[in-house]
Amino acid sequence: MKIHEYQAKEFFRKYNIPTPKEKLITNLDEVDLALSELNFPIVAKAQVLVGGRGKAGGVQFCQTPEELKEAVKRILSMTIKNLAVKKLLLAEAVKYEKEFYLGITIDRERRAPVLIASAAGGMDIEEIALRHPEQIVITELSPFLRLKSYKAREVGNVLFSDKELVNKFIEIAAKLTNIFFDYECNLVEINPLVLADRELVAVDAKIVFDDNGLYRHPELEALRDLDAEEKSELLAKQADLSYVKLTGHVGCIVNGAGLAMATMDLIKKYGAEPANFLDIGGSSSPQKMREAMRIILMDKNVRGILVNIFGGITRCDDVAQGLLWALKEEEIKVPIVARLTGTNELEARMLLENSPIVFARTMTEGVKKIVELTRS
Ligand code: GDP
Ligand code: MN
């Protein structure tokens, strides 16, 4: 789960990472009040959960109240990558000498959390990696020991020649590490971390929480921005289905995560791309199947649906009932291939006898058929 810059900055303040003076506003009328607390120059920053807001014009520097009001009006009427800007962060602009990058994430190849730092801040880290790979310093962290101070010092010594600044860097890196582990994050990032008047200040802030750890931090749920989330994934969560939207054309409804993965692999093997991962779970009901169909049909990329069920506790006739229900209520224009095997397989077949569903006896046959039917 991603949170906005202004929310991430609140975590920074709680952990005493220096941030600029800021006020969040949601409309033009709030500018005057904000101005009673902020000094010019001021940066107005769109709060949207997508990258590249700066390039889209969502970050503007203003010298006067008139300029600021113009910028606020303009940014609040903007849509950046399909998301309407509803909130603006007004920040006292920091006059700085140099920009740095500091981030913590999980490095899957190293199988470890890593702290990444660079003296080439301001750009995306991907861009730094491309243009100045020699300027990136990476050090591994431990979930138990977190950031050992000698490691932080090694990194600090690469970025700063001044001992006092190295110490300040170590402090900030340690605090950022604590946020990362305390809240089980996927990413915490300061870009840029700026050097201004012998202080290090976090001018931007990004935090992404690991969804799998959220149940341990129920208070974070209140920070969720529903606008930024895939509607179908939200519906799936409510229906207790594991669903991940992907970009291919073959919709998949499968029971069991392992079988769902294997189905996706097979679809790729036969030359197509899955439109989603969807596991209806072990003990399914017609209702779950009905919901699964509703969710898959929301995706306009879907050219056909493969239902792959290995009936154990899941009864094939329950699945068939759900399919019939969906066929009755939705106008389905795409082909459906079903491979239903196991518990109550015959009952399922009888239920679907007069439906437009194409049957397959094996998984491979089902995949081949749906790939054939969805070929453009
Ligand atoms: P992003 O485009 O979403 O990463 O938004 P940032 O908050 O990082 O702002 C984009 C860029 O604007 C930064 O990399 C800085 O170069 C500049 N910027 C942002 N805030 C300030 C500030 O307070 N002072 C100065 N001088 N530049 C800033
Ligand atoms: Mn930034």
Side-chain angles (χ1 to χ4, degrees):
M1 178 176 94
K2 290 184 194 168
I3 58 170
H4 289 286
E5 174 191 1
Y6 78 90
Q7 297 169 316
K9 290 262 180 68
E10 277 165 28
F11 283 88
F12 284 14
R13 284 191 270 273
K14 190 170 146 197
Y15 281 72
N16 289 316
I17 296 174
T19 56
K21 207 165 169 203
E22 296 170 335
K23 287 293 283 181
L24 183 76
I25 62 163
T26 52
N27 64 61
L28 195 59
D29 301 336
E30 291 166 11
V31 172
D32 285 326
L33 185 63
L35 283 183
S36 66
E37 294 178 33
L38 299 176
N39 293 310
F40 282 99
I42 288 173
V43 203
K45 301 162 98 177
Q47 299 296 292
V48 278
L49 290 177
V50 291
R53 62 174 176 173
K55 282 180 200 135
V59 177
Q60 307 259 326
F61 287 82
C62 308
Q63 303 290 345
T64 64
E66 293 70 37
E67 235 179 275
L68 179 64
K69 283 179 185 169
E70 271 311 305
V72 169
K73 242 190 269 174
R74 199 166 51 237
I75 301 177
L76 279 177
S77 65
M78 277 166 67
T79 301
I80 303 179
K81 294 191 186 155
N82 284 325
L83 287 177
V85 180
K86 294 181 181 167
K87 290 178 178 158
L88 256 180
L89 189 61
L90 304 184
E92 280 189 2
V94 182
K95 197 159 171 287
Y96 59 75
E97 292 124 60
K98 200 164 162 35
E99 298 179 296
F100 298 87
Y101 174 94
L102 179 61
I104 301 171
T105 188
I106 307 280
D107 184 330
R108 286 169 194 277
E109 267 165 39
R110 293 172 192 249
R111 302 184 185 186
V114 288
L115 179 116
I116 304 169
S118 175
M123 307 178 244
D124 290 346
I125 187 69
E126 291 83 3
E127 212 174 314
I128 306 175
L130 215 62
R131 288 211 237 158
H132 309 283
E134 75 293 346
Q135 286 193 35
I136 294 183
V137 199
I138 299 180
T139 192
E140 284 184 19
L141 306 178
S142 148
F144 308 108
L145 305 171
R146 300 205 169 181
L147 174 62
K148 298 291 284 177
S149 67
Y150 78 90
K151 285 195 168 187
R153 188 168 300 278
E154 270 173 12
V155 177
N157 282 333
V158 177
L159 302 188
F160 306 95
S161 47
D162 182 308
K163 207 162 166 205
E164 193 190 319
L165 286 177
V166 173
N167 287 336
K168 284 183 175 161
F169 172 82
I170 293 172
E171 251 182 62
I172 290 178
K175 289 168 181 166
L176 201 65
T177 304
N178 287 340
I179 297 178
F180 184 85
F181 287 114
D182 288 351
Y183 292 97
E184 301 181 81
C185 301
N186 276 337
L187 175 77
V188 292
E189 191 182 78
I190 310 178
N191 188 23
L193 173 69
V194 301
L195 171 60
D197 209 10
R198 304 198 53 75
E199 291 297 333
L200 294 174
V201 183
V203 158
D204 194 5
K206 194 168 171 184
I207 296 180
V208 181
F209 299 109
D210 182 344
D211 290 339
N212 297 307
L214 283 177
Y215 76 98
R216 276 192 287 258
H217 314 280
E219 75 282 8
L220 298 179
E221 217 34 61
L223 305 179
R224 191 183 287 279
D225 177 353
L226 294 176
D227 287 353
E229 310 225 344
E230 191 62 53
K231 295 278 175 301
S232 51
E233 290 188 1
L234 277 176
L235 262 181
K237 200 173 281 168
Q238 285 159 7
D240 199 21
L241 301 164
S242 314
Y243 171 82
V244 182
K245 190 180 176 311
L246 303 167
T247 52
H249 300 292
V250 182
C252 314
I253 300 180
V254 188
N255 69 319
L259 188 59
M261 300 286 276
T263 305
M264 288 162 54
D265 282 351
L266 215 55
I267 289 170
K268 277 181 172 269
K269 182 178 171 193
Y270 285 102
E273 291 288 330
N276 64 277
F277 168 96
L278 199 164
D279 172 11
I280 57 170
S283 58
S284 60
S285 60
Q287 203 124 16
K288 271 198 171 176
M289 190 60 202
R290 169 74 192 94
E291 282 306 311
M293 287 292 285
R294 190 197 310 281
I295 286 158
I296 292 220
L297 290 165
M298 285 169 74
D299 179 355
K300 297 301 159 219
N301 282 328
V302 166
R303 293 195 203 131
I305 300 170
L306 175 64
V307 180
N308 185 15
I309 301 295
F310 186 85
I313 298 167
T314 305
R315 291 169 30 180
C316 292
D317 57 331
D318 274 350
V319 172
Q321 292 283 11
L323 269 173
L324 281 178
W325 188 356
L327 284 167
K328 207 169 89 190
E329 290 186 352
E330 309 236 8
E331 197 191 337
I332 301 178
K333 295 189 186 123
V334 296
I336 302 172
V337 173
R339 177 256 193 170
L340 306 168
T341 192
T343 311
N344 292 0
E345 171 181 341
L346 279 177
E347 287 84 344
R349 262 196 185 247
M350 267 150 58
L351 280 168
L352 295 173
E353 209 161 33
N354 296 315
S355 75
I357 290 170
V358 179
F359 278 95
R361 273 165 306 134
T362 66
M363 187 163 153
T364 307
E365 187 190 322
V367 169
K368 280 184 177 165
K369 279 187 173 161
I370 198 68
V371 170
E372 196 53 47
L373 288 166
T374 54
R375 194 158 276 153
S376 59

